[in-house]
Amino acid sequence: MNGHLEAEEQQDQRPEQELTWSWGHRPRSALDRVKAMAPPPPLPLTPSTPLLHGEFGSYPARGPRFALTLTPQALHIQRLRPKPEARPRGGLVLLAEVSGCCTLRSRSPSDSAAYFCIYTYPRGRRGGRRRAARTFRADGAATYEENRAEAQRWATALTCLLRGLPLPGDGEITPDLLPRPPRLLLLVNPFGGRGLAWQWCKNHVLPMISEAGLSFNLIQTERHNHARELVQGLSLSEWDGIVTVSGDGLLYEVLNGLLERPDWEEAVKTPVGILPCGSGNALAGAVNQHGGFEPALGIDLLLNCSLLLCRGGSHPLDLLSVTLASGSRCFSFLSVAWGFVSDVDIQSERFRALGSARFTLGTVLGLATLHTYRGRLSYLPATVEPASPAPAHGLPRAKSELTLAPGPAPPVAHSPLHRSVSDLPLPLPLPQPALTSPGSPEPLPILSLNGGGPELAGDWGGAGDAPLSPDPLLPSPPGSPKAAQLSPITEGASEMPASSGLPPPTPDARVAISAGGPPDHLLPPLGAPLPPGWVTMEGDFVLILAISPSHLGADLVAAPHARFDDGLVHLCWVRGGISRAALLRLFLAMERGSHFSLGCPQLGYAAARAFRLEPLTPRGVLTVDGEQVEYGPLQAQVHPGLGTLLTGPSGCPGREP
């Protein structure tokens, strides 16, 4: 082969050491296997270090020939024949835009070449992403076995780069580096957003994660709190992550369901991810920013987050424990809101068919009927203040004397199981049509899962050439999804604590309540006075917002300096007396995260570790992660890094110098 690197391909799989790090595997036997493998030291790489270089043919075979160079950030493609290009078009494929790759072979027995295909999602001239598949022909050797080995070498190297895995310093790059594909449980709310969640999942998410070589079981939720009940019965050790394909509400159910389990301390470590198909996609907006992508909405945001999921990588996630007036608790990953924000969120529910535009319409209506609410906000300031987005307002110190009798949490009801779609051998009912593995008798014509990536006729069916078929890098190893029978997914009744006979929730309490989780060591009982060191202010407010990540919506950056694991809750408030025009300017500036620079005197901010909110207005709306909860006093504290979020790699995808 000697420089004739001709074909490349592979599934997006990751070595055990990557699984342990990226997908939040608990160390256990995986760590033991990593130590036993004792891989050679990694190569010291710079962004422009050439890792592989060689000449490839194209598919169909009568096309041009190319020189390919693989670096840690990109695949460089230069046409050699029939005529070299002075300024190559499409000659740089950024790895940040690659979902996966695969190796292929011709169905013609006389063709000794091997083929290497990469799947990319570059931005078009108008900014949107479009799928593109590039197939190269490895034909520098006389036999198929030699060409296949070279194609696999390229595919393995590319996959290691996509997964952040070290390449061996002096060892050979072989598919033996690659373990079983990660196993993901996808939970889809088919009614998310404008009711397009299932269509977007089928048309965009499933093809991409198949290109990445990820194994999955997909379940469509059928009712409110279905996901919460479902995760309580999972055998979590069999999954590398739980990914919601919806808005923020479905992930709220998953996290609270995990924290309701008797084994919540281990369960909450299960990596969770989000692929935005809802009307509220705040966490996805923060993930998109963390991954270094430009702000995006709709399908572009979905494709960005799907690309990050395919790359792997997780990050600790702070969770906020919220104690409600009844004494029950729920856990938040996003926000607690009172006033204008919660009013818009709940009152715009009737416009859900508009998708994210419902919030725009709700904001307009909210401005037309702007209300102020009297209340008391107390908080425990952060020990170390982050770089504040604006000069802090001076706040008087006081103590709250409000007393409340805490009440018990409501019981949980369970109902029959859901519909599911899977490429794993799970004993679950499959609706028609169902997605199946390539070995199944009747696979879908569009997707061929776990057999080398999606089999798209337009990719591998050149006119006059024999069509190509997937050529997996490795046979299914013991313990892979095809070799291991996973436990059935059941509802969580058997793992739930027995009902305590507590009274039902109040009529306006629409949120799921968690009974488990860590104790709130920073908070006194809700009716008790606050300890020294707390700051309290009372007055008329247009809104009070307590937010954990940076984004309040996919295009609203409420706390631009916030991080997933900064251990803080970011308190923002707007006092009464602000004009409608000034409030509108704040929200318009929030799209760029520049609202604190407007110098609005009614806008306040504080970083805190815990807070207490006491509405003094008899009527209003409180929300936790966009879900309405019982109205009344509440308090919350941050639990740093309690959860694990699948974020993909951090950084700023860009072109090489």
Side-chain angles (χ1 to χ4, degrees):
M1 319 295 297
N2 298 333
H4 281 275
L5 311 173
E6 326 286 293
E8 8 198 352
E9 148 85 356
Q10 130 182 8
Q11 298 169 306
D12 241 345
Q13 304 171 347
R14 61 194 60 196
E16 282 296 353
Q17 46 274 59
E18 167 69 7
L19 280 169
T20 301
W21 173 77
S22 282
W23 291 92
H25 265 237
R26 310 190 206 2
R28 299 180 185 169
S29 60
L31 182 57
D32 296 336
R33 288 195 297 272
V34 171
K35 292 178 180 178
M37 289 170 61
L43 291 169
L45 302 179
T46 64
S48 58
T49 300
L51 304 175
L52 294 176
H53 178 76
E55 183 178 327
F56 288 80
S58 58
Y59 181 78
R62 292 179 299 279
R65 296 191 68 80
F66 301 96
L68 301 187
T69 303
L70 182 64
T71 72
Q73 286 190 352
L75 177 67
H76 299 256
I77 306 171
Q78 182 180 10
R79 192 176 71 185
L80 298 177
R81 293 193 296 273
K83 181 181 179 181
E85 296 174 293
R87 295 182 178 179
R89 290 173 297 177
L92 185 69
V93 177
L94 297 174
L95 298 194
E97 298 177 339
V98 174
S99 62
C101 61
C102 68
T103 52
L104 310 164
R105 70 173 302 172
S106 173
R107 293 179 186 174
S108 171
S110 62
D111 189 352
S112 63
Y115 296 84
F116 168 64
C117 181
I118 61 172
Y119 305 100
T120 69
Y121 290 80
R123 290 193 175 278
R125 293 181 179 178
R126 298 182 179 179
R129 294 194 183 276
R130 296 190 64 181
R131 181 186 181 277
R134 303 289 297 268
T135 303
F136 302 98
R137 174 186 172 96
D139 54 6
T143 65
Y144 169 72
E145 287 71 21
E146 291 175 288
N147 288 325
R148 179 175 185 257
E150 189 65 19
Q152 289 182 339
R153 188 164 77 99
W154 278 71
T156 301
L158 179 57
T159 296
C160 287
L161 293 176
L162 291 174
R163 298 290 167 258
L165 299 171
L167 293 171
D170 54 2
E172 198 155 323
I173 300 173
T174 68
D176 293 334
L177 294 172
L178 306 175
R180 64 164 176 82
R183 293 189 287 237
L184 299 181
L185 178 62
L186 304 183
L187 301 179
V188 181
N189 174 12
F191 308 106
R194 293 175 294 167
L196 298 175
W198 170 240
Q199 180 181 335
W200 284 12
C201 179
K202 182 173 61 175
N203 294 343
H204 302 286
V205 174
L206 299 187
M208 190 181 292
I209 65 174
S210 302
E211 293 160 3
L214 307 180
S215 293
F216 69 90
N217 176 239
L218 183 149
I219 297 171
Q220 294 187 51
T221 59
E222 298 177 343
R223 61 188 178 278
H224 188 58
N225 285 333
H226 187 186
R228 179 179 64 87
E229 301 163 9
L230 208 161
V231 299
Q232 294 169 21
L234 287 179
S235 177
L236 294 174
S237 62
E238 296 172 348
W239 302 97
D240 300 320
I242 301 173
V243 179
T244 60
V245 187
S246 184
D248 296 312
L250 200 60
L251 184 59
Y252 173 88
E253 293 185 21
V254 168
L255 286 169
N256 279 274
L258 293 174
L259 283 157
E260 282 187 322
R261 293 170 56 113
D263 62 343
W264 64 265
E265 291 182 85
E266 282 299 312
V268 76
K269 297 176 185 177
T270 302
V272 297
I274 187 165
L275 296 178
C277 289
S279 50
N281 299 310
L283 188 62
V287 169
N288 183 72
Q289 176 177 281
H290 177 268
F293 290 121
E294 292 296 322
L297 296 172
I299 290 180
D300 287 337
L301 178 62
L302 174 62
L303 292 178
N304 286 354
C305 291
S306 299
L307 278 172
L308 292 170
L309 177 68
C310 290
R311 295 289 299 273
S314 61
H315 207 278
L317 178 67
D318 295 341
L319 296 181
L320 196 65
S321 167
V322 184
T323 302
L324 304 176
S326 64
S328 56
R329 282 203 311 171
C330 58
F331 286 84
S332 160
F333 65 89
L334 183 58
S335 67
V336 176
W338 178 51
F340 185 81
V341 171
S342 57
D343 291 347
V344 168
D345 208 347
I346 298 305
Q347 293 173 11
S348 66
E349 284 281 351
R350 62 185 185 271
F351 309 124
R352 182 169 286 274
L354 299 177
S356 59
R358 66 178 254 218
F359 298 114
T360 303
L361 179 56
T363 299
V364 172
L365 296 177
L367 287 170
T369 58
L370 190 61
H371 298 289
T372 57
Y373 300 88
R374 188 157 190 84
R376 184 182 301 123
L377 175 64
S378 307
Y379 63 90
L380 178 63
T383 304
V384 178
E385 289 284 342
S388 178
H393 295 273
L395 301 175
R397 296 180 177 269
K399 290 184 178 180
S400 169
E401 302 295 334
L402 183 65
T403 57
L404 292 171
V412 177
H414 300 280
S415 51
L417 200 56
H418 42 269
R419 296 180 296 157
S420 69
V421 176
S422 179
D423 75 331
L424 298 177
L426 298 178
L428 293 171
L430 297 177
Q432 296 297 325
L435 300 181
T436 59
S437 297
S440 303
E442 298 179 358
L444 285 180
I446 297 179
L447 291 176
S448 179
L449 304 177
N450 279 350
E455 189 169 7
L456 304 180
D459 295 340
W460 306 336
D465 286 79
L468 306 180
S469 59
D471 183 18
L473 289 177
L474 287 174
S476 298
S480 72
K482 293 186 179 182
Q485 184 76 13
L486 302 186
S487 302
I489 297 177
T490 60
E491 298 293 343
S494 61
E495 298 198 34
M496 281 293 297
S499 173
S500 57
L502 301 175
T506 57
D508 63 342
R510 299 169 45 195
V511 75
I513 303 301
S514 288
D520 295 327
H521 65 283
L522 298 177
L523 296 174
L526 190 52
L530 292 169
W534 283 62
V535 177
T536 297
M537 56 183 171
E538 182 176 328
D540 293 329
F541 297 91
V542 170
L543 67 88
I544 292 178
L545 175 68
I547 189 166
S548 297
S550 56
H551 284 57
L552 180 60
D555 57 348
L556 289 177
V557 189
H561 54 294
R563 303 190 309 273
F564 294 123
D565 62 341
D566 57 14
L568 302 173
V569 56
H570 302 272
L571 300 175
C572 307
W573 60 86
V574 175
R575 290 184 175 272
I578 190 172
S579 67
R580 291 177 173 84
L583 185 60
L584 179 59
R585 283 195 296 271
L586 282 180
F587 278 93
L588 291 176
M590 197 179 292
E591 295 180 1
R592 303 178 301 276
S594 60
H595 47 295
F596 290 108
S597 65
L598 295 180
C600 176
Q602 289 84 15
L603 176 62
Y605 167 82
R609 299 170 62 198
F611 72 92
R612 175 182 288 179
L613 174 60
E614 300 162 282
L616 303 179
T617 301
R619 298 182 62 182
V621 175
L622 284 167
T623 58
V624 175
D625 292 358
E627 301 290 322
Q628 187 173 359
V629 299
E630 59 187 283
Y631 188 70
L634 60 77
Q635 62 185 15
Q637 87 162 58
V638 179
H639 292 277
L642 182 60
T644 303
L645 181 64
L646 293 171
T647 59
S650 62
C652 184
R655 296 186 176 273
E656 289 182 305

